[in-house]
């Protein structure tokens, strides 16, 4: 590359970054189920933490999720920030231990799978098949198999019920005797039958990991499922999907038994020194703001998110689309899945909707073959972002009418785009969160009786 080309690329990069912000933030309606929306207060906090974003805080943590020892100087406030963030996160999940240092949900899975398999000295893990909604990090073709070196035993999935086939899977767990049973997934409309599976796991000495990446904010809001109460040993997750924080990962647990405490130590060791040096502490305060927002508004946000997803399921179904899970009300989470094979398949439909500025993703459906990943029969739609922007049932129905126009080929997507942009622009600001840090501080002072 010549210097001139280098500088041209640099300029283009700045322009593309500006253009992206305008396009996805202001002009599109985003229904990607794995993305979330931070409040202006959380964003202000990220911006405030410019120095923190440049710092290191390597070291060991204790079994409350607090800082135990740090190997750098200058930690006076960083330690307070990490401890306070851990406390707020523990409170909203009602647990005794949290690990907020993983940089992503995938890393949260990595440290958990690695830590637990080291402790049990058992390299077998039971998980749901990829096509039935597991994340690639649970699979032998992804992190669990190729990085952590686990042998993956697939539990059985019931395509009709859109859930784990419990009797069959209990038999598989008992026969295979894995060290880990992982539940949760990326296509995740219904809570798995935790109690039976956890009982079988306990019988063979396996730890139950619940990957709540998608539903973390719903769990915080008291919806979907309460995995710790229902038998999970460790919950992993992303902090940026239904949990409306900065991009990151976490693991949490209620350390009631000695073996859970040993396991938590192994997981901490897998975080540092084994897989991170810099834990990107600049995100912690914004994570804490998101936790505060969930503490105050999490139940309303979670309920409305699920209601919006169910409304979309009903509306698309009543208008002729094959929405999965009809007999169970389509979903109990933020997402729905639709079989669009008769409209050209998931890839085609997702591209057409993109032309209308409705951003969704194509998705394998439980009965698709794993080899169909590039041409799956379905699409997945998530309603957490639009809910935070203030969409209610009638707005979701309006949006569904635009989706139907495109999917059914009734109108040119480019003509639909204008209405999508108008709909997007009719929702300014966000709900269930704070507009600014000043608003947060005023609210807290009032709650504390300081004004
Ligand atoms: C179930 C599940 N686990 C883990 C992850 C990975 O999370 P992250 O993207 O934060 O690495 C995802 C991503 O969407 C997911 O769906």
């Amino acid at each position: 590359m010549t210097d001139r080309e280098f500088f041209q690329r640099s300029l283009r990069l700045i322009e593309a970054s500006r253009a992206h912000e305008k396009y996805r933030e202001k002009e599109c309606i985003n229904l990607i189920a794995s993305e979330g929306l931070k409040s202006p207060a959380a964003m202000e906090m990220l911006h405030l933490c410019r120095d923190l974003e440049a710092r290191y805080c390597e070291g060991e943590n204790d079994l409350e999720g607090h800082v135990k020892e740090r190997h750098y100087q200058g930690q006076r406030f960083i330690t307070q920030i990490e401890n306070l963030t851990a406390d707020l996160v523990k409170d909203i999940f009602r647990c005794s231990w949290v690990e907020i240092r993983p940089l992503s949900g995938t890393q949260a899975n990595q440290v958990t799978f690695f830590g637990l398999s080291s402790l049990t000295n058992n390299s077998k893990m039971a998980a749901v098949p990829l096509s039935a909604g597991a994340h690639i990090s649970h699979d032998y073709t992804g992190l669990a198999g190729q990085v952590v070196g686990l042998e993956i035993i697939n539990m059985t999935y019931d395509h009709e019920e859109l859930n784990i086939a419990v009797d069959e899977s209990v038999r598989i767990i008992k026969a295979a005797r894995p060290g880990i049973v992982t539940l949760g997934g990326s296509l995740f409309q219904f809570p798995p039958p935790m109690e039976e599976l956890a009982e079988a796991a306990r019988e063979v000495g396996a730890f139950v990991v619940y990957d709540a990446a998608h539903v973390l904010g719903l769990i915080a809001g008291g919806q979907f499922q309460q995995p710790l109460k229902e038998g999970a040993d460790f919950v992993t997750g992303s902090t940026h999907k239904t949990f409306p924080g900065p991009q990151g990962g976490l693991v949490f647990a209620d350390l009631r038994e000695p073996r859970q405490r040993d396991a938590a130590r192994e997981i901490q060791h897998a975080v540092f020194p084994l897989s991170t040096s810099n834990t990107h502490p600049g995100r912690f305060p914004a994570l804490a703001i998101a936790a505060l927002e969930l503490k105050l508004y999490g139940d309303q946000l979670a309920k409305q998110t699920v209601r919006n997803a169910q409304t979309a399921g009903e509306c698309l179904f009543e208008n002729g689309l094959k929405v999965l899970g009809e007999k169970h009300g389509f979903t109990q989470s933020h997402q729905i899945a639709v079989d669009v094979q008769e409209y050209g398949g998931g890839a085609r439909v997702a591209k057409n909707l993109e032309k209308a500025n409705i951003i969704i993703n194509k998705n394998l459906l439980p009965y698709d073959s794993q080899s169909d990943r590039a041409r799956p029969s379905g699409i997945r739609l998530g309603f957490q972002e639009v809910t935070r922007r203030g969409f209610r049932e009638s707005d979701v129905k309006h949006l569904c009418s635009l989706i139907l126009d495109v999917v059914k080929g009734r109108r040119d997507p480019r003509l639909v785009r204008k209405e999508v942009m108008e709909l997007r622009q009719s929702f300014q600001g966000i709900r269930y969160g704070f507009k600014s840090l000043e608003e947060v501080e005023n609210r807290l002072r009032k709650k504390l009786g300081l004004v």
Side-chain angles (χ1 to χ4, degrees):
M1 200 191 309
T2 64
D3 282 359
R4 183 175 173 76
E5 283 166 342
F6 189 100
F7 300 140
Q8 277 171 340
R9 279 178 167 75
S10 305
L11 196 54
R12 269 191 7 234
L13 169 119
I14 296 170
E15 288 162 3
S17 304
R18 284 213 179 91
H20 170 87
E21 294 300 314
K22 177 162 173 282
Y23 167 57
R24 288 293 297 276
E25 222 266 297
K26 305 243 180 291
E27 297 173 351
C28 288
I29 293 188
N30 297 300
L31 300 175
I32 301 274
S34 57
E35 297 174 349
L37 187 64
K38 292 182 291 301
S39 68
M43 288 201 255
E44 193 183 331
M45 190 50 117
L46 276 180
H47 186 65
L48 174 83
C49 295
R50 291 185 301 275
D51 182 274
L52 186 59
E53 194 266 339
R55 302 298 162 198
Y56 274 74
C57 50
E58 246 177 29
E60 283 72 31
N61 282 6
D62 65 20
L63 287 187
E64 295 194 358
H66 289 155
V67 169
K68 185 158 105 190
E69 196 184 347
R70 286 295 178 259
H71 305 308
Y72 282 75
Q73 303 315 121
Q75 299 288 311
R76 187 158 27 135
F77 296 109
I78 305 183
T79 291
Q80 271 188 48
I81 289 167
E82 188 168 336
N83 289 348
L84 291 168
T85 306
D87 286 341
L88 303 193
V89 172
K90 279 193 301 186
D91 184 85
I92 63 167
F93 293 113
R94 296 182 182 82
C95 62
S96 68
W97 173 78
V98 70
E99 176 53 89
I100 57 171
R101 295 177 296 173
L103 303 179
S104 67
T106 301
Q107 199 199 354
N109 283 344
Q110 180 180 358
V111 295
T112 305
F113 298 160
F114 183 87
L116 298 181
S117 57
S118 305
L119 182 72
T120 56
N121 206 15
N122 180 336
S123 59
K124 285 191 209 160
M125 179 168 97
V128 172
L130 265 191
S131 56
H135 187 246
I136 180 79
S137 59
H138 307 173
D139 195 55
Y140 71 94
T141 57
L143 171 108
Q146 303 301 311
V147 180
V148 187
L150 299 180
E151 180 191 338
I152 304 303
I153 292 113
N154 277 152
M155 287 182 274
T156 307
Y157 192 81
D158 184 331
H159 298 169
E160 291 294 312
E161 296 297 318
L162 297 184
N163 216 324
I164 296 174
V166 70
D167 295 340
E168 187 76 1
S169 298
V170 161
R171 270 197 292 280
I172 290 171
I173 292 168
K174 287 185 182 172
R177 304 187 71 80
I180 306 171
V181 174
T182 290
L183 306 171
S186 305
L187 187 67
F188 202 27
Q189 302 98 311
F190 298 103
M194 290 279 300
E195 284 171 25
E196 295 91 329
L197 296 168
E199 199 181 306
R202 201 151 299 124
E203 202 178 307
V204 300
F207 285 99
V208 177
V209 174
Y210 185 100
D211 182 341
H214 266 265
V215 292
L216 198 63
L218 304 181
I219 290 170
Q223 294 295 301
F224 197 67
Q225 189 160 35
Q226 295 302 309
L228 287 183
K229 279 200 187 134
E230 295 171 40
D233 293 291
F234 290 92
V235 178
T236 63
S238 308
T239 55
H240 51 267
K241 301 185 195 303
T242 53
F243 192 109
Q247 289 183 327
L250 51 68
V251 189
F252 62 83
D254 219 5
L255 303 179
R256 294 177 307 272
E257 298 164 15
R259 76 174 206 136
Q260 290 172 323
R261 289 193 279 281
D262 292 343
R265 280 191 203 95
E266 292 287 344
I267 294 169
Q268 287 175 321
H269 183 66
V271 173
F272 179 81
L274 297 191
S275 70
T276 42
S277 175
N278 192 320
T279 55
H280 300 192
R283 68 199 156 96
F284 294 156
L287 175 62
I289 294 292
L292 169 68
E293 290 171 336
L294 289 179
K295 170 99 176 162
L296 296 173
Y297 309 113
D299 58 342
Q300 298 163 45
L301 172 61
K303 277 190 192 127
Q304 189 61 46
T305 301
V306 177
R307 267 203 297 268
N308 282 349
Q310 288 169 341
T311 302
E314 271 157 34
C315 183
L316 296 176
F317 184 80
E318 279 163 12
N319 284 283
L321 294 199
K322 287 187 192 151
V323 185
L324 272 56
E326 184 214 349
K327 69 176 174 182
H328 297 300
F330 306 105
T331 187
Q332 288 178 36
S333 75
H334 59 303
Q335 50 169 267
I336 57 168
V338 189
D339 185 329
V340 289
Q341 199 58 35
E342 68 181 281
Y343 302 103
R348 169 133 189 253
V349 166
K351 281 196 182 121
N352 282 340
L353 286 168
E354 183 183 37
K355 288 182 199 148
N357 282 18
I358 298 171
I359 309 296
I360 61 138
N361 64 284
K362 62 178 188 283
N363 221 91
L364 280 178
L365 297 180
Y367 39 80
D368 284 343
S369 150
Q370 215 114 300
S371 55
D372 289 339
R373 289 184 80 185
R375 306 170 62 77
S377 41
I379 54 174
R380 183 186 66 171
L381 315 180
F383 291 84
Q384 69 291 350
E385 178 168 334
V386 290
T387 304
R388 225 172 177 226
R389 291 200 187 279
F391 275 51
R392 298 186 72 85
E393 288 85 331
S394 57
D395 312 304
V396 169
K397 286 182 189 159
H398 180 182
L399 174 59
C400 285
S401 71
L402 300 172
I403 292 174
L404 285 159
D405 283 347
V406 176
V407 173
K408 295 191 161 192
R410 295 196 293 227
R411 291 166 68 202
D412 183 330
R414 289 175 197 84
L415 299 177
V416 176
R417 184 194 302 160
K418 191 167 163 287
E419 282 171 55
V420 170
M421 287 170 65
E422 278 166 13
L423 180 59
R424 164 66 195 91
Q425 273 142 28
S426 64
F427 288 87
Q428 297 296 327
I430 67 133
R431 300 276 317 279
Y432 318 102
F434 291 101
K435 291 189 198 66
S436 65
L437 284 181
E438 190 184 351
E439 194 187 19
V440 175
E441 287 178 297
N442 287 340
R443 171 68 86 84
L444 292 174
R445 286 200 186 98
K446 214 164 166 185
K447 281 198 167 290
L448 294 167
L450 301 175
V451 285

